[in-house]
């Protein structure tokens, strides 16, 4: 911990203020830019006390009155510049080992407007006036009754000019007995020669008339308190001074108080004075605290990933050095006030913060941070399941071997489970929410998805007439299935796997003899299916094969007719006596009349679908 050093001088601010007074003026300045032709943009910077020195808490005016006067003192116009809004200025000190009191507050508003000012030989004078200053100022007589005049001159017809303007605003707070070196230089768009000097500020308005209508020059200076002047505006040793060529302002204040100070910059072109810009401002000299105490806010959030944001809560200090604890080879440093850092892996790290490193007031603190990565949790829902939906859900994602798992399963059996996987059933059809929670190293993450189950139909049908039946009967098929909450949209009928019909009612026409497995396949609108089967037998009638036929055109015995052959799948081949086939066909149905085949003796071979084979001779006689 840095050694505490407290500058012990006290600031005694004794004043009396009437509630009717405006007590907010800190300072101001007025400048302009020549836009070309007769156009000028005028800028008014006003500084307001937003701290306790503004005893009446007077705010900015809704508009600022700008007086435009001829060089001869005549009034050209009175303009109103609308309030543009204000910003609070940072309170910065030259010495990072020092800390200003927290109640110092200064705001800045910049009023602007464009004026059309035709050239005239005597030029113009622009003026803004406002009362009153903060009564805490000690180098003015009755500071709460004295105001401010900001004024600037536009040269006559022979010269086109943009006025000089100061580049930076000096620090609002000066530390007691601490030297200040401040670059108070100005810039000039025309490249004119600039000369700097301290001067007495100009008064404006009164506590009775705090917002006067501006008047033409000359303007009365403020009234100094005894012992103070434009050349000695504040208690200091050495006294305040400004370099006439560089604008470097130097001062070491020796008494804690508030002071009004003014700096003037004059611009010359070829040795001729064109214009003057006066900045009227206030210095608050305070006993600054030299104690520096490095502090890191305790870690409040965990499981946020590898990137951590660090909150620097040090009450003082201006320079910072962070090390994030990843080891000597890592580039894990920062000079930001409150940085963030992305670690390479989870773990516990020691973070070091040095306030004002390298200075005698440096202070160091360390803090442990716990870097944890939020686990990633998910699972893959199965495709839509028909029926009870028996399935296995498996946790997926990124988590360590020590992770724990919790399942919440809506409408399921079981309804809760633990472990990386779960076997689950969903008795009722519908859409079921499933939530998986994974906890890993104290960090948890949740994933929710949906499992869809659909109604499973129950197939059933009846046959008529009942089995067994002789060949030649047609069998009626009638659906009796249950949709179980779904909608059956397709019915397909099969006998021994071969399609025989469709629709909720169908007919199985002319089944040949045999033993069959008759099956109904029903399908719902969701694509769910079910089957039901019944055995059925068609009784075979024995076949009889003749040994002669006479295709002579007398309409008797015209074809080779095998009795009951239509009941059988078969292959028939007829050979001549030299073994050459003269006729061959599948599924013979008594159609052969031996066209073009001469009379004689022939031989046949009949092979049934069940493998039985019949052979013999056949006489063809016309």
């Amino acid at each position: 911990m840095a050694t505490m050093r407290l500058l012990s001088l006290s600031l005694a601010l004794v004043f009396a203020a009437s509630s009717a007074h405006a007590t907010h003026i800190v300072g101001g300045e007025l400048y302009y830019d020549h836009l070309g032709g007769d156009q000028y943009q005028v800028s008014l910077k006003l500084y307001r006390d937003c701290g306790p020195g503004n005893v009446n808490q007077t705010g900015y005016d809704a508009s600022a009155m700008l007086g435009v006067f001829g060089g001869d003192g005549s009034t050209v116009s009175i303009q109103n510049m609308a309030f543009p809004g204000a910003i609070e200025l940072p309170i910065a000190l030259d010495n990072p080992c020092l800390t200003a009191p927290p109640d110092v507050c200064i705001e800045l508003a910049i009023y602007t407007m464009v004026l059309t000012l035709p050239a005239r030989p005597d030029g113009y004078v622009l003026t803004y006036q406002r009362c009153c200053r903060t009564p805490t100022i000690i180098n003015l007589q009755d500071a709460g009754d004295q105001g401010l005049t900001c004024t600037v001159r536009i040269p006559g017809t022979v010269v086109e000019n943009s006025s000089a303007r100061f580049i930076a605003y000096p620090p609002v707070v000066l530390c007691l007995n601490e030297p200040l070196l401040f670059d108070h230089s100005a810039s000039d768009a025309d490249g004119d020669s600039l000369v700097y000097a301290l001067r007495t500020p100009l008064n404006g308005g009164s506590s009775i008339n705090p917002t006067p209508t501006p008047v033409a020059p000359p303007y009365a200076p403020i009234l100094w308190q005894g012992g103070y002047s434009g050349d000695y505006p504040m208690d200091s040793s050495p006294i305040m001074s400004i370099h006439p060529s560089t604008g470097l302002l130097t001062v070491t204040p020796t008494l804690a108080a508030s002071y009004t100070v003014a700096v003037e910059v004059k611009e010359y072109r070829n040795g001729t004075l064109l214009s003057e810009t006066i900045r009227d401002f206030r210095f608050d000299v305070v006993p600054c605290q030299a104690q520096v105490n490095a502090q890191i806010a305790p870690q409040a959030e965990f499981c946020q990933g590898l990137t951590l944001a660090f909150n620097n809560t040090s009450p003082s200090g201006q320079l910072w050095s962070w090390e994030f604890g990843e080891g000597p080879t890592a580039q894990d440093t920062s000079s930001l006030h409150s940085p963030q850092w992305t670690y390479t892996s989870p773990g516990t790290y020691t973070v070091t913060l040095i306030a004002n490193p390298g200075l005698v007031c440096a202070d160091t603190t360390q803090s442990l941070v716990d870097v944890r990565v939020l686990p990633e949790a998910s699972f893959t829902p199965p495709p839509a399941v028909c029926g009870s939906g028996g399935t296995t859900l498996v946790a997926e994602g990124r988590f360590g071997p020590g992770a724990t798992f919790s399942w919440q399963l809506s409408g399921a059996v079981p309804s809760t489970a633990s472990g990386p996987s779960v076997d689950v059933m969903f008795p009722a059809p519908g859409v079921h929410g499933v939530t998986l929670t994974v906890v890993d190293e104290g960090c948890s993450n949740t994933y929710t998805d949906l499992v869809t189950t659909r109604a499973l139909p129950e197939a059933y049908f009846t046959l008529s007439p009942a089995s067994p039946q002789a060949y030649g009967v047609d069998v009626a098929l009638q659906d009796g299935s249950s949709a179980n909450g779904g909608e059956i949209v397709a019915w397909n009928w099969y006998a021994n796997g071969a399609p025989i019909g469709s629709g909720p009612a169908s007919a199985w026409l002319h089944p040949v003899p045999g033993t069959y497995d008759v099956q109904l396949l029903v399908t719902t609108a969701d694509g769910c299916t079910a089957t039901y089967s019944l055995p059925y037998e068609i009784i075979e009638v024995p076949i009889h094969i003749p040994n002669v036929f006479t295709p002579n055109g007398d309409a008797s015995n015209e074809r080779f007719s095998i009795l009951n052959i239509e009941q059988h799948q078969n292959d028939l081949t007829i050979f001549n006596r030299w073994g050459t086939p003269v006729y061959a066909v599948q599924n013979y149905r008594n159609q052969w009349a031996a066209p073009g085949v001469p009379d004689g003796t022939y031989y046949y071979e009949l092979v049934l679908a069940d493998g039985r084979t019949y052979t013999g001779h056949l006489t063809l006689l016309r």
Side-chain angles (χ1 to χ4, degrees), residues 419-485:
S421 64
V422 57
D423 294 325
V424 63
M425 296 184 67
F426 298 91
V431 179
H432 310 275
V434 176
T435 297
L436 168 64
T437 300
V438 178
V439 180
D440 190 15
E441 297 290 339
C443 301
S444 66
N445 203 354
T446 297
Y447 177 78
T448 297
D449 212 328
L450 302 175
V451 175
T452 300
T453 57
R454 295 170 175 169
L456 182 66
E458 182 178 357
Y460 181 78
F461 66 91
T462 58
L463 294 169
S464 178
S467 176
Q469 293 293 322
Y471 172 75
V473 69
D474 291 337
V475 182
L477 309 171
Q478 181 60 53
D479 173 54
S481 303
S482 172
N484 290 334

Side-chain angles (χ1 to χ4, degrees), residues 285-306:
V285 179
V286 298
C288 295
Q289 183 177 353
Q291 176 186 3
V292 174
N293 183 12
Q295 294 180 8
I296 303 173
Q299 184 178 5
E301 295 183 345
F302 300 85
C303 309
Q304 299 301 308
L306 296 176

Side-chain angles (χ1 to χ4, degrees), residues 565 568-574 583-589 604-609 612-614:
I565 191 62
H568 299 277
Q569 303 286 330
N570 63 83
D571 290 295
L572 174 65
T573 306
I574 297 175
Y583 181 71
V585 71
Q586 286 185 336
N587 293 328
Y588 182 63
R589 293 295 184 260
Y604 64 83
E605 181 183 60
L606 177 65
V607 181
L608 301 185
R612 288 178 290 171
T613 301
Y614 298 86

Side-chain angles (χ1 to χ4, degrees), residues 133-185:
R133 301 175 188 265
T134 53
T136 57
I137 297 170
I138 71 165
N139 63 342
L140 303 184
Q141 298 180 25
D142 298 322
D145 287 328
Q146 297 200 59
L148 166 80
T149 292
C150 295
T151 186
V152 68
R153 183 163 54 91
I154 299 176
T157 304
V158 295
V159 178
E160 292 182 354
N161 186 59
S162 293
S163 65
R165 74 283 323 274
F166 294 102
I167 298 172
Y169 192 75
V172 175
V173 172
L174 305 185
C175 290
L176 182 66
N177 295 320
E178 295 290 336
L180 169 71
L181 283 80
F182 175 71
D183 182 359
H184 208 292
S185 61

Side-chain angles (χ1 to χ4, degrees), residues 56 72 182 215 219 224 265 327 365 373 434 486 499 503:
N56 294 327
D72 59 0
F182 175 71
V215 296
Y219 303 112
W224 293 108
V265 57
T365 188
V373 177
V434 176

Side-chain angles (χ1 to χ4, degrees), residues 287-465:
C288 295
Q289 183 177 353
Q291 176 186 3
V292 174
N293 183 12
Q295 294 180 8
I296 303 173
Q299 184 178 5
E301 295 183 345
F302 300 85
C303 309
Q304 299 301 308
L306 296 176
T307 299
L308 266 62
F310 296 92
N311 184 12
N312 182 348
T313 57
S314 306
S316 56
Q318 296 186 34
L319 306 175
W320 314 102
S321 176
W322 291 84
E323 290 186 4
F324 303 108
E326 288 217 82
T329 60
Q331 300 298 315
D332 60 337
T333 61
S334 176
S335 59
L336 298 177
H337 178 272
S338 294
Q340 68 177 23
W341 178 252
T342 299
Y343 287 88
T344 56
S345 62
T348 300
Y349 297 89
T350 299
V351 178
T352 302
L353 169 62
I354 304 175
N356 290 346
L359 301 179
V360 294
C361 59
D363 185 45
T364 300
T365 188
Q366 291 184 323
S367 178
L368 290 178
V369 294
D370 194 358
V371 181
R372 304 178 189 174
V373 177
L374 197 68
E376 294 178 358
S378 66
F379 61 87
T380 301
V385 180
C386 295
S388 60
T391 188
T392 299
L393 301 177
V394 179
E396 303 168 351
R398 184 188 66 198
F399 39 77
T404 60
F405 307 86
S406 175
W407 299 85
Q408 298 291 325
L409 305 133
S410 174
V413 177
S415 60
T416 61
S418 59
S421 64
V422 57
D423 294 325
V424 63
M425 296 184 67
F426 298 91
V431 179
H432 310 275
V434 176
T435 297
L436 168 64
T437 300
V438 178
V439 180
D440 190 15
E441 297 290 339
C443 301
S444 66
N445 203 354
T446 297
Y447 177 78
T448 297
D449 212 328
L450 302 175
V451 175
T452 300
T453 57
R454 295 170 175 169
L456 182 66
E458 182 178 357
Y460 181 78
F461 66 91
T462 58
L463 294 169
S464 178

